[in-house]
Amino acid sequence: MKKIGFLSFGHWSPSGQSATRSASDVLLQSIELAEAAEQLGVDGAYYRVHHFARQLSSPFPLLAAVGARTRRIEIGTGVIDMRYENPFYMAEDAGAADLISGGRLQLGLSRGSPEQVIEGWRHFGYAPAEGESDADMGRRHAALFLDLLRGEGFARPNPRPMFPNPPGLLRLEPHAPGLRERIWWGSASDATAVWAAQQGMNLQSSTLKADETGEPFHLQQARQIRAYREAWAAAGHQRTPRVSVSRSIFALVDDRDRAYFGAAAGSDQIGVIDDMRAVFGRSYAAEPDRLIEQLRADEAIAAADTLLLTVPNQLGVDYNAHVLESIMTHVAPALGWR
């Protein structure tokens, strides 16, 4: 068995070829796709976060709305750029969204990705401390956020408060019990995967990774997952961690699929991202029988307990629900995921 979710980058464009022509379109359709996915038996609805772009940005209003409109599906991010975040305000927002959903939030965090603007986090009021890189700042924000989610008091109460206080130091409210164990770190390298394990976070590994060995992408990602689980065991955490990988997978079952994605399948690609040599994983697009055999050979998918399917959100809710249904019906049972 494997948990299967979708991951939407939330693109919108005023182009007449896009089903999401405005920010309003993409937000409302993101909620509708989560509802449709829940009805199909999909396990998770995850959303990418980008700033200064025609994409989804502030995640918590969307996560809360999805939580209010669904009952079972996990709701998450992949990922929130922690260089832009105030950990204190974020802890309150996350606590509220998690309580609205009944404890279904699965928050993916990261130090960030290439941006639309130069040092965009400075416009949000953040700057690295002396001797820090922006990546260090993102990890520092994340560590503080994790501490706040523990729900321990840290602030001295006013001796003459407007409203009565409980005894002792005060914590941020609302507090969401259990959310600390549902935080993930989006890692592009073996070293940051080990760091995530040491911090007690689940692991999100995406469709690209630092090219550290020259091996095919899925083998490097499987190696990263092994390093993460070894570090988790060495850290002595008591629970079993979760690991997700993301893939672009399309079962070609009708003429629409073949028109959109018949030529999408390919091989790994090498590129440079943020001055890092990276290997980008292939897309999978084939008739179900052939697709099943291709996926069976992907060692990282086999190693993960959660698979996030990247969806082409600009093609609309109905088509994306069809993409998910095709995987759930024609592919997942044959691979033992259902």
Side-chain angles (χ1 to χ4, degrees), residues 42 77 80 106 114 123 134 138 160-161 165 180 192 223 232-233 237 242 259 271 273 275 280 282 287 299 302 334-335:
V42 173
T77 52
I80 297 173
Q106 302 282 342
H123 296 288
D134 62 306
R160 293 181 295 278
N165 281 323
R180 172 62 179 81
T192 53
R223 184 189 302 274
W232 184 277
H237 302 304
R242 289 180 61 183
I273 184 168
D275 298 321
F280 296 77
R282 57 170 293 185
E287 283 70 23
E299 293 191 15
L335 288 166

Side-chain angles (χ1 to χ4, degrees), residues 19-140:
T20 52
R21 301 181 188 179
S22 68
S24 175
D25 285 344
V26 77
L27 286 164
L28 295 175
Q29 290 187 31
S30 294
I31 299 168
E32 292 168 9
L33 183 57
E35 292 179 291
E38 182 171 73
Q39 293 173 7
L40 292 169
V42 173
D43 301 299
Y46 288 74
Y47 305 95
R48 188 69 168 91
V49 179
H50 279 114
H51 300 287
F52 298 102
R54 289 177 173 178
Q55 297 179 50
L56 297 170
S57 55
S58 68
F60 292 105
L62 173 60
L63 297 173
V66 173
R69 291 271 290 268
T70 58
R71 292 293 176 265
R72 177 194 56 81
I73 198 168
E74 294 180 341
I75 309 160
T77 52
V79 290
I80 297 173
D81 187 336
M82 292 303 294
R83 296 174 297 181
Y84 285 79
E85 295 297 328
N86 178 321
F88 294 85
Y89 202 99
M90 183 176 171
E92 292 182 342
D93 279 351
D98 191 50
L99 292 172
I100 288 170
S101 73
R104 290 181 283 136
L105 224 56
Q106 302 282 342
L107 288 182
L109 320 178
S110 183
R111 50 77 73 195
S113 62
E115 300 183 274
Q116 296 297 107
V117 301
I118 297 170
E119 297 184 344
W121 26 270
R122 291 189 184 275
H123 296 288
F124 280 56
Y126 305 114
E130 184 175 353
E132 270 191 332
S133 68
D134 62 306
D136 294 332
M137 177 179 67
R139 285 187 283 269
R140 173 167 55 84

Side-chain angles (χ1 to χ4, degrees), residues 47-286:
Y47 305 95
R48 188 69 168 91
V49 179
H50 279 114
H51 300 287
F52 298 102
R54 289 177 173 178
Q55 297 179 50
L56 297 170
S57 55
S58 68
F60 292 105
L62 173 60
L63 297 173
V66 173
R69 291 271 290 268
T70 58
R71 292 293 176 265
R72 177 194 56 81
I73 198 168
E74 294 180 341
I75 309 160
T77 52
V79 290
I80 297 173
D81 187 336
M82 292 303 294
R83 296 174 297 181
Y84 285 79
E85 295 297 328
N86 178 321
F88 294 85
Y89 202 99
M90 183 176 171
E92 292 182 342
D93 279 351
D98 191 50
L99 292 172
I100 288 170
S101 73
R104 290 181 283 136
L105 224 56
Q106 302 282 342
L107 288 182
L109 320 178
S110 183
R111 50 77 73 195
S113 62
E115 300 183 274
Q116 296 297 107
V117 301
I118 297 170
E119 297 184 344
W121 26 270
R122 291 189 184 275
H123 296 288
F124 280 56
Y126 305 114
E130 184 175 353
E132 270 191 332
S133 68
D134 62 306
D136 294 332
M137 177 179 67
R139 285 187 283 269
R140 173 167 55 84
H141 286 181
L144 177 53
F145 175 65
L146 294 176
D147 283 342
L148 293 171
L149 290 185
R150 298 182 192 280
E152 297 173 358
F154 63 91
R156 287 190 306 156
N158 187 336
R160 293 181 295 278
M162 181 176 294
F163 305 106
N165 281 323
L169 298 176
L170 302 183
R171 67 185 184 186
L172 293 174
E173 301 290 355
H175 172 64
L179 179 57
R180 172 62 179 81
E181 296 186 352
R182 288 178 272 117
I183 304 300
W184 306 61
W185 187 256
S187 172
S189 69
D190 291 359
T192 53
V194 168
W195 177 82
Q198 293 167 345
Q199 300 300 312
M201 287 185 280
N202 303 307
L203 177 67
Q204 282 185 345
S205 195
S206 187
T207 52
L208 67 88
K209 184 186 175 299
D211 185 14
E212 299 181 83
T213 66
E215 297 173 293
F217 170 74
H218 74 104
L219 295 181
Q220 293 200 51
Q221 196 173 47
R223 184 189 302 274
Q224 179 194 45
I225 292 170
R226 289 194 295 272
Y228 167 80
R229 287 187 170 133
E230 289 167 3
W232 184 277
H237 302 304
Q238 297 303 304
R239 66 181 178 88
T240 301
R242 289 180 61 183
V243 174
S244 74
V245 297
S246 301
R247 292 290 186 274
S248 297
I249 303 173
F250 301 98
L252 306 182
V253 300
D254 63 21
D255 289 341
R256 288 179 304 168
D257 301 327
R258 286 182 278 272
Y260 285 136
F261 300 107
S267 57
D268 293 350
Q269 301 292 321
I270 298 295
V272 176
I273 184 168
D274 269 358
D275 298 321
M276 175 186 76
R277 177 183 166 90
V279 55
F280 296 77
R282 57 170 293 185
S283 295
Y284 291 96

